[in-house]
Amino acid sequence: MTQLLHADAAGIARAVALLRAGELVSFGTETVYGLGADATNDRAVAGIFAAKRRPRFNPLICHYPDADAAFADVVANTRAQRLAATLWPGPLTLVLPRRPDSGVSLLVSAGADTLAVRVPAHDTALALLREFGCPVAAPSANLSGKVSATTARHVLDGLSGRIAAVLDSGSCPVGVESTVLDLSGAAPVLLRPGGVTVEALEAVVGSLRTGDDASGVLRSPGLLASHYAPRLPVRLEAVDVQPDEALLAFGPPLSGAGAVFRLSDKADLTEAAARLFAGLRQLDADAAALGLIRIAVMPVPHRGLGRAVNDRLRRAATPRS
Ligand code: TXA
Ligand code: MG
């Protein structure tokens, strides 16, 4: 049985006790719900892969209450320090060289000599991390290949019975995962667009290379094309819609769809990002009930948080076998 814990002092204390015992606890962050384990406990970390049915080669993000704690496990260069000072706590993950004396399980790095670290901008998550006092490894709290969870209910839909508890802090305000930036090489490389915009990063560290034009090696396995997958096929850039389609609307909805989810009537990218995964889940459920065959998605502008939204939508639209 998975316990549902309130985001109060008693709930946080219970979550800490479970983490200390090597159990898995899901917790809300500003981006999505994480599936947390004590990052220094190999068995607990292995439990994450098992619970998610996640391929072994995918490394995990380590969560900390502040930059000092994070930089005790990795070697922070000047860029990392500047970004941490301006954008942490916040939806930004930095990939940096591991310190040889770090107690973080090697499984968290999936064998690499780097570690992804982040300080979430979320009161409950920070209280949990502070009270626990050890790094928490946490991928998004969904089964591998499924859409990320932005409410405790979403977490339970995928992982009920597979994890010890969910600390319910309501819905996640940002709604898309953190931006992942690799600072372990000579030049910074954007591995995953996310809650912090490229514009905000470039204001601090100058122009960025993206994973596509970098080495050609798949450096962030989370970028596997099929990572974000609703059950239904997805049709992007829809300018019309059929009665047998569900519509993910951005701005005022097109008419004629069999079901509609409104990301943002005002065409606000922040609101759309926050509602994206809930929308895909809702339309999947509506479509199953109504016999619809596809999700049509209205165009979302490719700027600011729209980049992260389009990245997730492109993955959702990638054909699966
Ligand atoms: O917002 C988020 O980042 C959420 C919340 C829970 O913090 N977490 C999350 O974790 O999205 P996950 O495991 O679903 O995605 C982690 C991403 C993956 O793309 C992974 O490949 C990449 O970070 N990553 C982790 N460690 C890495 C490393 N050492 N080198 C390169 N990429 C790494
Ligand atoms: Mg994920």
Side-chain angles (χ1 to χ4, degrees):
M1 262 298 283
T2 300
Q3 299 169 42
L4 188 62
L5 305 174
H6 294 294
D8 54 17
I12 290 169
R14 178 78 191 134
V16 166
L18 289 167
L19 287 172
R20 289 218 170 99
E23 300 283 346
L24 303 182
V25 177
S26 175
F27 61 100
T29 74
E30 82 279 37
T31 57
V32 299
Y33 272 73
L35 172 50
D38 178 350
T40 66
N41 178 333
D42 287 319
R43 286 191 49 171
V45 174
I48 292 177
F49 293 94
K52 281 191 66 122
R53 303 201 184 97
R54 185 180 205 181
R56 273 285 155 123
F57 50 75
N58 239 0
L60 307 174
I61 295 173
C62 244
H63 297 70
Y64 298 85
D66 53 55
D68 285 347
F71 294 161
D73 281 325
V74 290
V75 182
N77 48 37
T78 311
R79 284 191 186 101
Q81 276 158 1
R82 280 217 302 273
L83 286 164
T86 22
L87 295 167
W88 276 355
L92 173 65
T93 294
L94 301 177
V95 174
L96 290 161
R98 286 174 67 108
R99 287 188 190 275
D101 59 348
S102 160
V104 170
S105 164
L106 287 171
L107 205 48
V108 175
S109 299
D113 50 11
T114 55
L115 184 66
V117 296
R118 111 171 177 91
V119 178
H122 190 280
D123 288 345
T124 306
L126 289 175
L128 176 71
L129 292 165
R130 222 174 278 125
E131 200 162 317
F132 181 47
C134 271
V136 172
S140 51
N142 50 274
L143 291 174
S144 191
K146 301 287 188 215
V147 171
S148 297
T150 53
T151 66
R153 168 73 1 231
H154 294 165
V155 175
L156 290 173
D157 285 349
L159 296 170
S160 182
R162 306 178 67 81
I163 62 176
V166 184
L167 185 58
D168 183 357
S169 53
S171 62
C172 302
V174 174
V176 291
E177 294 90 339
S178 61
T179 303
V180 180
L181 186 67
D182 186 352
L183 294 177
S184 67
V189 180
L190 180 73
L191 296 181
R192 179 176 75 180
V196 164
T197 63
V198 174
E199 290 86 342
L201 293 177
E202 290 189 331
V204 182
V205 294
S207 78
L208 294 179
R209 290 190 303 161
T210 61
D212 304 336
D213 48 48
S215 61
V217 181
L218 187 62
R219 297 178 74 177
S220 189
L223 295 176
L224 285 174
S226 68
H227 190 65
Y228 299 91
R231 276 193 297 272
L232 281 188
V234 174
R235 179 167 74 86
L236 300 179
E237 308 286 336
V239 292
D240 54 27
V241 64
Q242 310 299 322
D244 59 357
E245 290 181 316
L247 179 69
L248 190 64
F250 182 77
L254 297 166
S255 59
V260 178
F261 185 92
R262 296 158 175 256
L263 285 175
S264 170
D265 284 354
K266 297 174 306 204
D268 178 282
L269 288 167
T270 303
E271 184 183 27
R275 290 167 57 75
L276 177 64
F277 291 128
L280 290 172
R281 280 169 189 272
Q282 182 62 55
L283 291 180
D284 250 351
D286 290 352
L290 300 168
L292 308 178
I293 60 162
R294 201 180 300 115
I295 297 174
V297 183
M298 291 171 63
V300 175
H302 202 67
R303 63 178 151 77
L305 275 183
R307 255 190 265 251
V309 170
N310 281 316
D311 174 75
R312 303 309 185 268
L313 286 170
R314 202 160 30 77
R315 287 172 214 295
T318 301
R320 279 149 268 143
S321 50

